[in-house]
Amino acid sequence: MSAPIPSIGSRALPYVVLDVFTDRPFAGNPLAVVLDAEDLTAEQMQQIAREFNHSETAFPLAPTEEERSEGADYVLRIFTPEVELPFAGHPSVGSAWWLGQLGRIPQGVAYQKCGAGLLPVEVSSDSATLTGGKASVGDPIDGGKALVAVGLERDALADPDVRVASTGLPYAVLFVHEEHLARCRPDIATLREEFAHPRQATGVYVVAWEGKTLQARTRMFAGDLGSPEDPATGSAALALAARLVARGDFGEGQTTFHVTQGVEMGRPSLLTVTCDVKGGVADRLRVSGGAVLVSQGQISTPT
């Protein structure tokens, strides 16, 4: 006769694990979403994120009356295994999609409040579209440390003009020749020292860009993810869009391009990015992707 299954207690919280920026399980980027965590402290949220050990764990919270009056439908707090982030793409897309499935936010446009401000997210039955914060692109930097961090030499660069771009989370964007993508060998010590939140660049986004077909093949490395590489990074795709607009790759009006990431990790991901350009500058940048439910359960509340 089997023994009874132990209980984890009345203070357990419901959670799901989603795969984001994919239409099938066991691809894309895994995300833990923990619900009903309004009473948790930041330290407790960090402990839970460390327990899941995904690149990010998301905590969608009910807004306060003041936050609701500002227009927020929910508040999102995002943690890597090591730090809290003000903004991230796949937690935003995945959390919005799941809240929509539960009926906690309506299908269509909802407003998420996070460290990057109040951001619109459009939810459908199988995907979500996140609008990034204000785009910024810095002055040229010496890309040497970024190259060291991903194990590449200067001959890998397709564009020697290396800059940090952001729509809420900053990345050093390295344009490389496509054959060098597979040659990346992350240096975890350099990533931890130079490319982790809240450094000038919180990651290195390695990009093979094909302007004629509007396709990008990418890899993203950072020092605080639990693993040095991320299989799908919406915030980095938005940063790439900001960089491409600033570089003059897109004309006035709207342009859509596609990003394939996670191939080398065995977790292929597809991100769709839409850029609105007005007066030569990025007016609105959006990243879209699918999400699927992989597992669900309850997790104990840390004491």
Side-chain angles (χ1 to χ4, degrees), residues 146-147 150 152 155-163 165 171-182 184 203-211 214-221 229 233 235-244 247 249-250 257-262 264 271 273:
L147 287 166
V150 298
L152 296 178
D155 65 350
L157 292 176
D159 183 347
D161 186 3
V162 178
R163 301 189 186 219
Y171 296 88
V173 180
L174 298 184
F175 290 102
V176 303
H177 303 292
E178 185 168 4
E179 62 268 23
H180 289 271
L181 281 174
C184 290
V204 181
Y205 202 41
V206 186
V207 180
W209 172 245
E210 178 48 69
L214 298 176
Q215 301 282 336
R217 278 264 289 111
T218 68
R219 300 180 73 177
M220 201 290 284
F221 302 92
E229 185 170 3
T233 318
S235 54
L238 289 167
L240 171 60
R243 179 71 183 98
L244 290 168
R247 201 171 71 158
D249 285 60
F250 304 145
F257 67 92
H258 301 282
V259 176
T260 303
Q261 190 178 333
E264 291 79 7
L271 304 83
V273 184

Side-chain angles (χ1 to χ4, degrees), residues 62-86:
T64 65
E65 287 301 319
E66 180 180 356
E67 290 165 337
R68 193 175 294 280
S69 71
E70 295 169 353
D73 290 293
Y74 64 99
V75 175
L76 192 66
R77 297 188 69 173
I78 303 165
F79 291 78
T80 77
E82 297 188 13
V83 296
E84 182 173 8
L85 299 177

Side-chain angles (χ1 to χ4, degrees), residues 125-148:
S125 61
D126 59 359
S127 65
T129 299
L130 169 69
T131 298
K134 184 177 180 181
S136 65
V137 178
D139 294 330
I141 64 170
D142 180 358
K145 287 181 179 178
L147 287 166
V148 169

Side-chain angles (χ1 to χ4, degrees), residues 32-186:
V33 182
V34 180
L35 299 171
D36 305 332
E38 285 79 8
D39 292 334
L40 294 189
T41 65
E43 182 180 1
Q44 289 172 310
M45 292 181 188
Q46 186 68 75
Q47 286 179 277
I48 289 175
R50 200 171 292 125
E51 180 72 17
F52 280 114
N53 204 39
H54 295 313
S55 58
E56 282 113 359
T57 295
F59 299 83
L61 309 173
T64 65
E65 287 301 319
E66 180 180 356
E67 290 165 337
R68 193 175 294 280
S69 71
E70 295 169 353
D73 290 293
Y74 64 99
V75 175
L76 192 66
R77 297 188 69 173
I78 303 165
F79 291 78
T80 77
E82 297 188 13
V83 296
E84 182 173 8
L85 299 177
F87 172 74
H90 101 279
S92 299
V93 167
S95 295
W97 177 78
W98 185 241
L99 292 175
Q101 305 315 297
L102 295 176
R104 295 196 181 193
I105 61 174
Q107 300 281 307
V109 177
Y111 287 86
Q112 166 189 295
K113 183 173 182 179
C114 61
L118 193 66
L119 302 176
V121 186
E122 187 169 358
V123 179
S124 71
S125 61
D126 59 359
S127 65
T129 299
L130 169 69
T131 298
K134 184 177 180 181
S136 65
V137 178
D139 294 330
I141 64 170
D142 180 358
K145 287 181 179 178
L147 287 166
V148 169
V150 298
L152 296 178
E153 302 290 339
R154 288 195 179 272
D155 65 350
L157 292 176
D159 183 347
D161 186 3
V162 178
R163 301 189 186 219
V164 175
S166 176
T167 65
L169 204 60
Y171 296 88
V173 180
L174 298 184
F175 290 102
V176 303
H177 303 292
E178 185 168 4
E179 62 268 23
H180 289 271
L181 281 174
R183 300 174 188 171
C184 290
R185 297 293 182 269

